Amino acid sequence: MQHPSPPLVICLGNVVADHVFRVDDVPQPPAKAQARGYKLSIGGMAANAAIAVARLGGRAAFWGRVGDDPNAELLTGGLREEGIDLTGLHVFPGARSPVSAVLVDRFGERAILGFRGEGLGTDPAWLPLDMMRDASAFLCDPRWPEGAAAALTAAEALDIPTVLDGERSETRLLLDLVPRVRYAIFSATGLNNYAPGQRIPEALRRAVSEGVTRMAAVTRGEDSTLWLMRGETTPRETKAFRIEARDTTGAGDVFHGAFALAMAEGMAMEDALRLASASGALRARDGTTAHRAEVERFIAEYGTG
Ligand SMILES: Nc1ncnc2c1ncn2[C@@H]1O[C@H](COP(=O)(O)OP(=O)(O)OP(=O)(O)O)[C@@H](O)[C@H]1O
Ligand SMILES: [Mg+2]
């Protein structure tokens, strides 16, 4: 018997070339300082989510926008190495890719200077929406709302589960995107941007009250994730795994990628959130995105230990 191929998760949104410098102290100008270490890593919510999907055993595609600069070559090379389908990665001639300088001090605190890119068109007309037929889940972040809206319409028409990484962004963007997704999973800041000044339960109730949204959640780092199903009034809780955090960058992105893959696999909500929390925790503990076997071992050992 032939093995069915792993489910495809399409991730649309941001990809960023993160130039990460390790320093003793973040210098205040005027200054000239030496970095202790340097690495280039792939950042951007949807891009990190796509990498998580691939490492956790799914098939991943990344849809997004870059310029035709050296940063784009580094990013596409890195994504391709992970086995991610880049049919929907558009290179804009003369444009500049999103890039950031990340300074990490000796306490692990970071100063991030981000550039969102230049000349990256917003028109989603070129998106390979036909690919959606093969997808088992779709994930987006709020950094390219026009693209997300077009793809979400296509996904909903095909009855494909959709996930939003409700990260920090303008209130009006979140108000537009949230009702279009089935699973709206916010960061703490993102939820506050969506419903400024509201308490968590109220904000989550609001998110599941309109559109196609079936579940809304907020991740809270080392604290539990709170989630609310449409039709229920009190959020449920998924405990965070206790780990020694080394570098929490991208933990949220990985959480979302793992959750989208779990939806693609048809997992029950509690199990999906446990897989996502464990994947996020390992990313925070190790600073890298874990593979499936490692995440499952971690969950199993944690349960007994
Ligand atoms: N220190 C930690 N200990 C245990 N689990 C963590 C820790 N940090 C992150 N996680 C896991 O990763 C998930 C996402 O983390 P968090 O809520 O910090 O995301 P975020 O605010 O979107 O940040 P970012 O997107 O920058 O990673 C958490 O819900 C949790 O499951
Ligand atoms: Mg996040």
Side-chain angles (χ1 to χ4, degrees), residues 160-181:
I160 291 167
T162 51
V163 180
L164 173 69
D165 186 341
E167 252 303 347
R168 174 195 308 262
S169 52
E170 285 171 61
T171 300
R172 63 175 180 89
L173 296 181
L174 292 170
L175 286 175
D176 179 68
L177 285 174
V178 168
R180 298 172 187 266
V181 297

Side-chain angles (χ1 to χ4, degrees), residues 158-237:
L158 293 161
D159 196 27
I160 291 167
T162 51
V163 180
L164 173 69
D165 186 341
E167 252 303 347
R168 174 195 308 262
S169 52
E170 285 171 61
T171 300
R172 63 175 180 89
L173 296 181
L174 292 170
L175 286 175
D176 179 68
L177 285 174
V178 168
R180 298 172 187 266
V181 297
R182 296 202 183 166
Y183 307 103
I185 306 184
F186 298 90
S187 67
T189 314
L191 186 62
N192 198 49
N193 293 150
Y194 168 70
Q198 285 188 346
R199 289 166 184 279
I200 288 175
E202 279 172 85
L204 295 180
R205 277 196 287 271
R206 176 170 176 192
V208 295
S209 71
E210 50 171 351
V212 302
T213 315
R214 302 175 177 191
M215 186 277 264
V218 58
T219 68
R220 303 183 304 152
E222 63 188 12
D223 296 324
S224 62
T225 295
L226 299 174
W227 52 284
L228 181 72
M229 301 297 296
R230 174 174 279 193
E232 297 184 356
T233 49
T234 313
R236 302 192 220 182
E237 197 173 5

Side-chain angles (χ1 to χ4, degrees), residues 17-103:
D18 281 341
H19 297 265
V20 185
F21 299 85
R22 288 211 166 254
V23 295
D24 284 333
D25 299 288
V26 173
Q28 299 302 313
K32 190 170 182 184
Q34 298 286 318
R36 287 188 171 280
Y38 166 84
K39 68 171 181 184
L40 177 93
S41 61
I42 298 180
M45 293 162 263
N48 270 332
I51 292 172
V53 167
R55 294 200 182 174
L56 292 171
R59 280 186 299 140
F62 177 74
W63 291 3
R65 307 165 297 159
V66 289
D68 62 354
D69 49 7
N71 280 321
E73 281 163 35
L74 296 166
L75 293 170
T76 50
L79 291 169
R80 199 167 283 125
E81 248 170 56
E82 299 284 342
I84 296 167
D85 181 301
L86 299 179
T87 312
L89 180 71
H90 197 81
V91 180
F92 287 84
R96 324 244 325 266
S97 304
V99 55
S100 68
V102 183
L103 273 60

